[in-house]
Amino acid sequence: MDIKIVRNENPKVKPEASTLGFGKYFTDHMFIMDYTAGEGWHDARIVPFGKYEIHPASTALHYGSEIFEGLKAYRKADGSVQLFRPMENIRRMNRSAERLCLPTIPEDMALEILETFVGFEKDWTPSAEGTSLYIRPFMFGNDETLGVHAVHHATFMIILSPVGSYYAEGINPVKIMIEDTDVRAVRGGTGEAKCGGNYAASNRAGEKAAQQGYSQVLWLDGVERKYIEEVGAMNVMFKIAGEIVTPALVGSILPGITRKSCLELLRKEGYKVSERLLSIDELQAAMQNGTLEEAWGCGTAAVISPIGELAYKGKKYTVCGGKIGEITQHLYDTITGIQWGKREDTFGWTYPLK
Ligand code: PLP
Ligand code: COI
């Protein structure tokens, strides 16, 4: 495909690895492509990173017609750069697009864009331990009219951000509050799509949790407020009396790629793993009688994140003595080992960039 390139004549100084944090710095360029009904995708371009002009009536600004993805480029010890399961992100983005009546992007086209653009900016992939180049593709409805309908114009963009760890805690256990009032998503809604609205719906509970010293919220299902769903930016897994349990993908949970990778890895290694309904009552009982052995979150930004404390209705429970558990550490070592090319990738998950 034809991708026009306008080079940035004023490249930035790259930030120090120790200052990275998450999503604060951006590379020198961004990718943009427009969609018009009847014409398809057009005007693919790599341009200097900067402000983007938008019509005040743009669909995204009024009706939340927006989806996004998140994946990373990792620098290996030999200096080369690789992606992790990029086709999974491309397929999930197209499923999100279908849910929100946004246009899909043919898979081979999306992969070519990703490879070309990330390859173009790959010098921005940091090399310090635990750092990577976070890739944020996103798409929004861009009709310049206030009518509510499936979009006729859309814009797809990719921005790139060199990152360190998502949580200030790094690999140290995080504290999570189980939310019993607000809900994030319901079956039949947009919970399994990666769309901005899900995150907007989460903010109030997130703020309340932060004020009480918690990193994020663990959501219960939107109908009965009974079943465990996921955390704001990651899926969750628990080890209860020897069984590794993660909530089943019932329609209101994001089908995480890190979740899928953990499940494939653990099953291959012979662990007992269940994707099933897990009620707050069962979890609370396990926390009280000591059978909750470990809890962790998993996501692209969050990587594998041990949970050291869970709070529910004012009660606090320490998990795994507030330390990282054995399975959590094993998943962290294996998944990050494959991502950064330190361990052999027997699954074929990595995708080297030219
Ligand atoms: N759940 C939510 C709500 C998320 O935002 C994310 C992050 O993308 C995840 C789960 C984990 O998904 P993945 O492993 O594909 O990054
Ligand atoms: C990711 O892990 O890629 C996410 O999208 C989480 C995000 C909300 C920071």
Side-chain angles (χ1 to χ4, degrees):
M1 69 181 287
D2 184 32
I3 302 179
K4 188 177 147 206
I5 297 178
V6 181
R7 277 181 191 276
N8 189 334
E9 300 301 338
N10 297 299
K12 291 174 272 211
V13 175
K14 296 186 177 59
E16 288 290 322
S18 60
T19 67
L20 287 178
F22 185 82
K24 295 188 291 179
Y25 299 100
F26 298 94
T27 67
D28 287 323
H29 299 85
M30 56 189 183
F31 176 85
I32 312 181
M33 178 168 79
D34 297 303
Y35 173 88
T36 307
E39 199 183 327
W41 290 103
H42 57 89
D43 288 305
R45 57 211 187 265
I46 293 171
V47 295
F49 184 89
K51 292 197 174 156
Y52 173 81
E53 207 166 87
I54 197 163
H55 192 279
S58 174
T59 330
L61 296 182
H62 297 266
Y63 306 126
S65 241
E66 191 269 354
I67 57 168
F68 66 97
E69 268 304 324
L71 66 162
K72 284 174 170 172
Y74 304 85
R75 193 175 287 283
K76 294 171 66 174
D78 66 6
S80 63
V81 174
Q82 64 186 17
L83 305 178
F84 184 73
R85 311 192 80 174
M87 282 313 290
E88 294 285 337
N89 293 88
I90 290 170
R91 292 187 182 127
R92 186 172 65 188
M93 186 176 74
N94 280 337
R95 293 198 303 272
S96 300
E98 272 164 13
R99 178 64 185 83
L100 273 86
C101 288
L102 284 164
T104 55
I105 303 181
E107 288 178 6
D108 51 351
M109 185 195 253
L111 189 61
E112 188 180 338
I113 291 169
L114 209 51
E115 273 193 280
T116 308
F117 180 49
V118 183
F120 184 79
E121 293 283 74
K122 82 173 172 194
D123 284 356
W124 276 88
T125 314
S127 57
E129 177 85 24
T131 63
S132 54
L133 184 65
Y134 184 75
I135 306 168
R136 171 53 64 84
F138 59 107
M139 187 196 294
F140 52 94
N142 211 356
D143 280 330
E144 299 179 351
T145 157
L146 294 177
V148 180
H149 46 64
V151 303
H152 299 109
H153 292 95
T155 301
F156 173 68
M157 298 176 71
I158 308 177
I159 54 176
L160 306 172
S161 173
V163 298
S165 61
Y166 182 66
Y167 294 116
E169 290 88 339
I171 177 72
N172 295 318
V174 291
K175 290 160 72 174
I176 301 284
M177 177 177 271
I178 303 174
E179 172 62 27
D180 58 13
T181 310
D182 285 358
V183 297
R184 173 189 176 274
V186 289
R187 292 182 201 184
T190 57
E192 65 183 354
K194 203 161 166 60
C195 64
N198 293 340
Y199 299 79
S202 308
N203 280 341
R204 185 169 69 176
E207 280 300 300
K208 194 175 71 181
Q211 279 162 14
Q212 296 177 43
Y214 291 86
S215 302
Q216 272 194 346
V217 163
L218 174 57
W219 297 102
L220 298 178
D221 77 275
V223 178
E224 297 180 74
R225 289 185 183 73
K226 181 174 173 190
Y227 297 103
I228 304 290
E229 298 228 307
E230 63 180 322
V231 173
M234 54 191 195
N235 296 109
V236 274
M237 298 191 175
F238 304 91
K239 184 163 174 247
I240 303 174
E243 178 196 14
I244 296 167
V245 186
T246 193
L249 299 176
V250 289
S252 46
I253 299 174
L254 191 81
I257 294 154
T258 322
R259 173 189 182 279
K260 183 173 181 177
S261 307
C262 289
L263 295 179
E264 286 173 22
L265 183 83
L266 291 168
R267 285 192 173 125
K268 191 176 175 190
E269 291 178 339
Y271 286 95
K272 181 167 182 244
V273 183
S274 313
E275 293 173 75
R276 64 170 173 86
L277 290 178
L278 171 65
S279 72
I280 181 65
D281 297 339
E282 181 183 346
L283 183 66
Q284 220 178 352
M287 293 192 285
Q288 279 159 356
N289 67 24
T291 51
L292 176 66
E293 296 164 35
E294 290 182 47
W296 64 92
C298 50
T300 300
V303 192
I304 304 292
S305 182
I307 298 174
E309 183 183 314
L310 283 166
Y312 181 59
K313 290 193 192 284
K315 282 207 180 119
K316 296 177 181 180
Y317 302 91
T318 302
V319 184
C320 197
K323 300 204 172 62
I324 182 164
E326 201 183 315
I327 303 282
T328 314
Q329 184 76 56
H330 171 61
L331 284 171
Y332 181 87
D333 292 343
T334 314
I335 301 267
T336 63
I338 294 173
Q339 288 169 333
W340 273 280
K342 295 177 190 162
R343 290 199 180 194
E344 193 195 348
D345 172 16
T346 54
F347 293 89
W349 286 340
T350 51
Y351 191 91
L353 285 182
K354 281 173 224 117

